[in-house]
Amino acid sequence: MNGKKCSMLSPAVSAHTKQLFRLDTNRPVVGSGPVLFGLNAEALAASMVEIGEPVWRGRQLAEAMYRQWVADLDGVTTLPKALRSRLVAGGCAIRRPRIVQTFVSNDGTERYLVEGQVLESQTVESVWMPDGDGGEAGDGSGADVPKQSNGENEKEWQRATICVSSQVGCAVNCQFCLTAKLGLQRNLTVGEIAGQVVAILDRHAVEIGKDRVNLVFMGMGEPLLNYDSWMAAVRLLVKEVGISPQRMTVSTSGIVPGIERLAAEPPEVRPKLAISLNAPNDEIRSEIMPINRKWPIEAVLDAVRKMRLRPRERITFEYVLLGGVTDRPEHAQQVARLLRRSGLPAKVNLIAWNPGPGIAYQMPQPEAVEGFKRALVAEGVPVYVRRPRGRDIFAACGQLKRTIEAAT
Ligand code: SAH
Ligand code: SF4
C-alpha cells in the first residue's frame, strides 16, 4: 500500500485528518496516507476545508464514494482534475475494500473474501444470500421464493440478504461456533465494515430504494464488542448509502453494555436487534456460551427492555439447535416460558447447528427441529426455521473462518 503522506496537507492539517480517521476507526493507520472510504460527510468536508477547498467538495466525495460507488479518486469526476491529481499525488486514496475471492454455493449463496483496508492481505468475510431473508424477517416471507430469470439483463433475485462481519475472529468463545476457534484477531475499521456492503451492492448492481436488500450483522465477530466502528459504519450505511436501519439486524451474544448503548441510539439509525439465546436456561447457556457467566439471561433481557421499540418491532431470539443438548421438547417449553415472562415482543429464529471441523456437537434430527418449532407455535411464540445457506462453501451461520480451505 501507499506509504506516502498526503503532502499537500500542512502538518497540523495532516494531524487533524488523521485524528478524524482515528476517531472513526479506533485504530491508527500505519504507514499510509489518509484513507477516505469510511469517513463520514462531515469529516470529508472538514478535510477539504483544511486544504483550502470549498466545504461542498466533501459532499461531492461522499456522493461519489457512497452513492455512486466510485472506487478510485480518478473516477470522482465531480472534483476538478487538478484536485484529484493533488490528492493522489499526496498519497490520499479511497481504498474501498475489493472482493478478492468468491465462493459460489449450489444454492446461490456467495461467500466473499474482501480485502482489508489496513493491510490488503488481512481479508474479511461476507456472504450474499439471494432470495432468502436469512430468517431476519422472521415471517418466512423471503424463504423459498422461486428464481425468475427474465433474460440476461434482468436480476435473478427478488430480494437478498447481506451478512456482514464486524471483526476477524471473535473473543466470545461460544463452544459451537467455528469463528470462535480463531480467537479475536482484530476489530474491523469503519471502512471495512461499510466496505463489505458497498462492494457487494456494487457487484450485484443493487438499486438502493428499489431492490429489497437486508443487512444482517451476523458474520464473523461480535458487533457490540467493536461498537464504535460498527455503529459508525451503520450511520454511514443509513445516512450516506441510503439503507434503512429497519432493513438491518444486529445479532449479539448478549453484551449488556453494548445493548444499553444501542438502546440509546436514535431510532433513525438504530438497527433491529437479535439476541443469540441458544439455550433454555442459564445452566446450559453458561456451558455452551461462557459469556453467560458474565451476563446471564436476565441481565441481557433487562438491557433489551431499555430499548424503545418501533411500532410492530420485535426482538429476534436466535436459537441454535444442538442435537441432544438444546433441542428437547422440555427446552422448547422453557424457552416459551422465558420469553413470555420477559414481556418483550419476541420472535424466535431456530437454526439447526451447522457442523464444523473440531467441534464435537451433533446436528439436530429433522423431527427435533420440527417438534421444537411446533411446541413454540403451540405456546403462541412466532417462530421461523432458518434454512441453512451455503453450507457447501462454509458460508452458513457459524461457519465463517478466515480461510480458503474450502476452495483448495
Ligand atoms: N457474534 C454474534 C453475531 C455472529 S454469530 C452472535 O453471536 O450473535 C451469528 C449467529 O450464528 C448467532 O446466532 C450464533 O449463535 C449462530 N451460530 C454460531 N455458530 C453456529 C453454528 N455452527 N451453526 C448454526 N448457527 C451458529
Ligand atoms: Fe462470537 Fe457469535 Fe461465534 Fe459466539 S456465536 S463465538 S459471539 S461469532
Side-chain angles (χ1 to χ4, degrees), residues 163-164 166-167 170 172 174 176-179 217-224 250-254 274-278 289 317-322 349 351-356 359 386 391 396-399:
C163 182
V164 185
S166 52
Q167 299 179 311
C170 185
V172 179
C174 302
F176 49 80
C177 173
L178 199 56
T179 303
F217 295 95
M218 298 183 183
M220 247 196 220
E222 171 48 66
L224 302 189
V250 60
S251 173
T252 178
S253 55
I275 301 289
S276 293
L277 179 63
N278 294 343
M289 299 178 71
F317 288 86
E318 294 154 292
Y319 192 97
V320 177
L321 290 158
L322 301 171
N349 274 356
I351 315 166
W353 179 68
N354 291 308
I359 309 184
R386 192 182 292 174
R391 265 188 189 163
C397 283
Q399 289 190 315

Side-chain angles (χ1 to χ4, degrees), residues 296-356:
I297 297 172
E298 266 317 307
V300 174
L301 295 176
D302 278 346
V304 177
R305 277 189 285 263
K306 293 187 180 149
M307 199 139 107
R308 271 197 46 208
L309 300 179
R310 304 176 181 97
R312 291 184 302 283
E313 182 175 357
R314 285 180 185 274
I315 303 293
T316 300
F317 288 86
E318 294 154 292
Y319 192 97
V320 177
L321 290 158
L322 301 171
V325 179
T326 60
D327 66 344
R328 296 177 195 276
E330 65 267 27
H331 297 153
Q333 301 298 332
Q334 287 178 46
V335 169
R337 217 173 308 133
L338 189 152
L339 294 180
R340 202 175 315 118
R341 272 205 318 262
S342 78
L344 289 163
K347 66 186 182 203
V348 171
N349 274 356
L350 293 178
I351 315 166
W353 179 68
N354 291 308

